[in-house]
Amino acid sequence: MLDALQRASFNYFLKEVNSENGLIADTNQPGAFASTAVVGLGISVYIAAVKRDILSRAEAAARVLTILRFLHSSPQGPEPDASGYKGFYYHFLDMKTGRRAGACELSTIDTAMLMAGILSASAWFTRDTTREREIRELAEALYARVDWRWAQDGGATISHGWKPESGFLTNRWDSGYSEALILYLLAAGAPVHPIAPDGYRRWVSSFEVKKVYDLRYIHAGPLFIHQLSQVWLDLRGVRDQMNVRLGFDYFENSRRATYIHRQYGIENPEHFKHYGEFVWGLTASGGPGPATINIDGVRREFYGYLARGAPLGPDDGTVSPWAVVASIPFAPEIVIDTVRHAIEHLELNGHSEYGFDASFNPTFPEKGKNRHGWISPWILGLNQGPVILMIENFQSGFLWETMRACPWIVQGLRRLGFRGGWLDERGG
């Protein structure tokens, strides 16, 4: 079941691509822009595809080289139509030209995910061949030119981004547990322009610890926050000062968050349809709204794209089965049966060639291709990547093992004060 889901999800990264520059679409919606974060996931997906005999090593290397060559040569500068600036890239790029799409921001978190993918290729393509040497050289050059200190905008923490028209965004990665772990780690471990650990410590000090359903954990409502950094990072037994103080690592924190989402589905405080032991999983996703509808005497508000979360919401009855799959390394004992239920009973697989539907809402009164209610008409690359890579981490630990060999990952972890687990076994 997992192999079939993984292979179907791979198709997204084989087909929703511009073969000339390697850019990968944010969604399969016609006219979609390329997503910088999805390109980073795609690079890691291509090397995982070799392990699964979906691509040959030569095919994967060719795809990765196309991306890296484009990124290295694409325009970097303060002009509003460049591809990036100071080593960072815009959140969205035009699929054909590779230049900034619309008025989007130069994104620090999306660039971090791009660099994580790039470093995975550098760590895996280790053969002494012309092609694989070029991959390593380009990967190191791309990572080295990111000016992480510039992105601090004079402060300790990192800004969310920058726009050529108005400068740095107001928001910073300084409040609440989020997906920014991979950002701070890569910024601290960088060979050029590394940041001091002060900003990371300030961010961590803002984390809110809650006790929910008798489970104590670092709170974040959407599941993607508990997953994205750990697509690349093996944090089993690896702890920073916050983890030491709490008595559990971020991997265990994600396991607890997964159980909390399931329990929220079982208790179903808002009385949404189908919620239960095998229907749960709230995250950033598309939804059937915006709309407000009276259903069975209850006024229901439905949202469009939104970061949904449990147990505190927001929640409008929209569930994301891919987010359950991406938690499989943390809690396979509850995830696998939930995935099976989604396939066999909810029919959320097979409507597209790319595997799971992105999200569905059985409460919303719409009858279409699924008798269980509204389902998202589009597939998102930001969903597909974690499905593929987290299944692989669960099955073989492949990407985690690959990233453990990356010296910049090791350096970043140590500079941020992480100790224990495989990190101590490396010595040094």
Side-chain angles (χ1 to χ4, degrees), residues 213 263-276 282 293 295-303 309-319 361 363-364:
Y213 306 131
Q263 189 60 36
Y264 176 81
I266 292 171
E267 298 203 0
N268 191 13
E270 301 296 328
H271 306 290
F272 290 115
K273 290 184 179 179
H274 285 0
Y275 276 31
L282 307 183
I293 303 173
I295 301 174
D296 298 328
V298 178
R299 181 182 171 87
R300 299 284 192 185
E301 185 174 359
F302 298 95
Y303 311 110
L312 303 180
D315 182 16
D316 64 350
T318 302
V319 176
N361 191 316
T363 302
F364 190 80

Side-chain angles (χ1 to χ4, degrees), residues 351 364-375:
H351 294 119
F364 190 80
E366 175 179 295
K367 299 301 179 183
K369 55 187 176 180
N370 190 317
R371 60 190 174 90
H372 296 295
W374 178 89
I375 64 171

Side-chain angles (χ1 to χ4, degrees), residues 186-263:
L186 292 179
V192 184
H193 311 301
I195 68 167
D198 301 9
Y200 175 76
R201 293 177 187 142
R202 185 174 300 183
W203 173 57
V204 169
S205 70
S206 74
F207 292 177
E208 187 175 10
V209 178
K210 291 182 176 291
K211 190 172 185 180
V212 181
Y213 306 131
D214 292 325
L215 290 172
R216 187 165 169 258
Y217 81 130
I218 302 169
H219 169 71
L223 275 177
F224 81 90
I225 288 176
H226 300 280
Q227 299 162 343
L228 279 183
S229 291
Q230 293 184 72
V231 166
W232 290 281
L233 303 177
D234 180 3
L235 298 181
R236 294 172 295 180
V238 179
R239 301 184 175 194
D240 65 3
Q241 293 179 358
M242 168 68 82
N243 299 146
V244 171
R245 181 171 65 82
L246 293 177
F248 53 86
D249 56 44
Y250 291 114
F251 180 92
E252 169 63 19
N253 195 72
S254 295
R255 187 191 72 83
R256 296 182 186 188
T258 304
Y259 267 89
I260 285 168
H261 270 252
R262 185 186 69 153
Q263 189 60 36

